[in-house]
Amino acid sequence: MRKEKIVVLPGDGVGPEVVEGAIEVLDAVGKRFQIKFDYEEKLIGGIAIDKRSTPLPDDTLKACKECGVILLGAVGGPKWDKLTGKMRPESGLLEIRKKLGLYANIRPAKIFRPLISSSTLKSSVLKNVDFVVVRELNSGIYYGKPRGIKKEKKGKKAFNTMVYDEATIRRIAETAFKIAERRKRKVVSVDKANVLECSRLWRDVVEDVHNNFSHIELSHMYVDNCAMQIIRDPAQFDVILTPNLFGDIISDEAAMITGSIGMLSSASIGEKAALYEPVHGSAPDIAGKDIANPLATILSAAMMLRYSLSYEEEASAIERAVEKVLKKGFRTKDIYNGRGKIVGTRKMSSLVAENL
Ligand code: IPM
Ligand code: MG
């Protein structure tokens, strides 16, 4: 029996429910493939603020650093919306990304065939959609200084700073080209080089890194055009390389073309650790009602098996089980469009576990 340790951070809102679903599926994988998963549960986000007065307690960070394999639910909610800056639940997530050096955020947008009719887009547009967003996660306007809100005579003034340095751009560009090597060998780099200096440097460095990857096709796209192209013809994309803020927006858009944001998984990868989480947030309005879609988290757990633990066969088994359950017509509310059978979070998770 092989043994693997995973740090689990359920967080807020629907986080605990969807993580519970993923654990059920992991345990089923363990049974079938002779792996014993050991889970260490830790606090992050709003619940950590409530219990420990900080969104990222030291012991959470320590456990994550030591283990390096992390599964996260979601953070945030209206209860903590009045808090500011470092005391916000989201700051726990931003801090853990920074402190563990999780610089590459990988968000695959693949259409599950049985879900084509759940998307708000026409099925002709969705045929053959399979791309991945590679988002820089450690820099840009999320972290740049100075930042703040000042009181001035005329009223308040707020400011943030977008910063990118060469090394940061080089590292994420290399990641994107390497991912493209294993796919359709096409990278579209997203920027706003017609306006922003950060984007001009981004474009120059991406071009430079491309010299070492000349077998990959590279093109550049302004972020506003990219947002339009994803809706107009999403099948044109293979790898979309983006800075932090643009990637945040583009990846939510990409989620919707796959039917529902409840389907989109993600990996945030660094040199020594990686964190896996659904792209959707804590969805406080549906928390605790057993209606959230656990599939994004279950698929994130599959990414974890593949990328952090090198269990390729096991990861594919989860993905196939998800496909099978969808094919049989089971749907959570967010992906239901009149046909099939609506099931809750728990039932959907057990169905995937049973269909492994
Ligand atoms: C995401 C989320 C986070 C982000 C928030 C919760 C800070 O939207 O992972 O996309 O903006 O990166
Ligand atoms: Mg986001």
Side-chain angles (χ1 to χ4, degrees), residues 123-325:
S123 47
S124 57
V125 173
L126 291 174
K127 234 169 88 193
N128 303 323
V129 169
D130 179 4
F131 65 87
V132 49
V133 178
V134 178
R135 167 188 175 194
E136 197 289 318
L137 205 58
N138 264 193
S139 203
I141 198 160
Y142 273 53
Y143 296 98
K145 288 192 177 126
R147 64 186 296 162
I149 302 181
K150 263 188 194 155
K151 269 199 186 126
E152 294 193 335
K153 273 204 199 100
K154 282 182 286 181
K156 283 185 192 164
K157 183 166 119 183
F159 49 97
N160 291 89
T161 309
M162 188 184 280
V163 184
Y164 266 106
D165 63 41
E166 239 181 288
T168 306
I169 304 169
R170 193 169 288 282
R171 187 167 66 170
I172 194 72
E174 277 169 6
T175 305
F177 286 123
K178 282 183 188 155
I179 288 174
E181 273 178 338
R182 287 182 267 130
R183 299 177 46 98
K184 288 173 271 171
R185 302 189 160 206
K186 255 169 71 176
V187 172
V188 172
S189 172
V190 173
D191 62 40
K192 189 72 186 172
N194 49 348
V195 179
L196 303 174
E197 279 77 7
C198 278
S199 284
R200 270 177 232 147
L201 180 67
W202 179 276
R203 209 175 256 227
D204 287 348
V205 176
V206 171
E207 288 276 346
D208 192 47
V209 175
H210 183 234
N211 289 328
N212 299 329
F213 293 89
S214 46
H215 50 296
I216 308 280
E217 187 188 320
L218 169 68
S219 56
H220 304 278
M221 211 178 254
Y222 294 141
V223 62
D224 47 350
N225 183 29
C226 181
M228 180 184 75
Q229 294 296 338
I230 286 180
I231 299 300
R232 194 186 73 83
D233 176 22
Q236 70 183 286
F237 295 106
D238 179 27
V239 174
I240 300 182
L241 164 63
T242 81
N244 203 349
L245 177 65
F246 299 160
D248 180 44
I249 300 163
I250 290 290
S251 61
D252 266 35
E253 192 191 5
M256 266 327 286
I257 68 159
T258 69
S260 160
I261 195 162
M263 295 298 301
L264 209 64
S265 56
S266 85
S268 304
I269 295 178
E271 309 283 349
K272 293 194 184 116
L275 180 149
Y276 301 84
E277 59 174 321
V279 171
H280 65 71
S282 58
D285 51 322
I286 60 165
K289 296 186 180 160
D290 193 41
I291 52 176
N293 185 347
L295 293 177
T297 314
I298 290 171
L299 292 166
S300 301
M303 287 182 95
M304 177 178 78
L305 295 184
R306 175 172 293 126
Y307 293 119
S308 279
L309 303 170
S310 300
Y311 288 138
E312 174 59 42
E313 199 190 336
E314 292 79 352
S316 311
I318 295 181
E319 287 158 357
R320 275 199 310 273
V322 168
E323 183 113 39
K324 227 163 143 188
V325 170

Side-chain angles (χ1 to χ4, degrees), residues 1-9 19 22-24 26-31 34-42 63-64 66-71 304-305 309 311:
M1 188 80 116
R2 294 163 291 182
K3 278 197 177 146
E4 301 294 349
K5 192 170 160 188
I6 298 163
V7 171
V8 181
L9 311 174
V19 162
I23 288 181
E24 183 178 350
L26 281 170
D27 283 342
V29 169
K31 238 190 186 154
Q34 303 290 305
I35 309 161
K36 167 103 183 68
F37 293 107
D38 229 352
Y39 310 98
E40 184 179 2
E41 194 174 314
K42 291 284 174 187
C64 291
E66 277 170 15
C67 176
V69 186
I70 307 145
L71 183 66
M304 177 178 78
L305 295 184
L309 303 170
Y311 288 138

Side-chain angles (χ1 to χ4, degrees), residues 75 90 93-94 97 107 135 142 248 277 279:
V75 296
E90 291 81 3
L93 184 57
L94 297 178
R97 286 174 178 170
R107 301 184 158 182
R135 167 188 175 194
Y142 273 53
D248 180 44
E277 59 174 321
V279 171

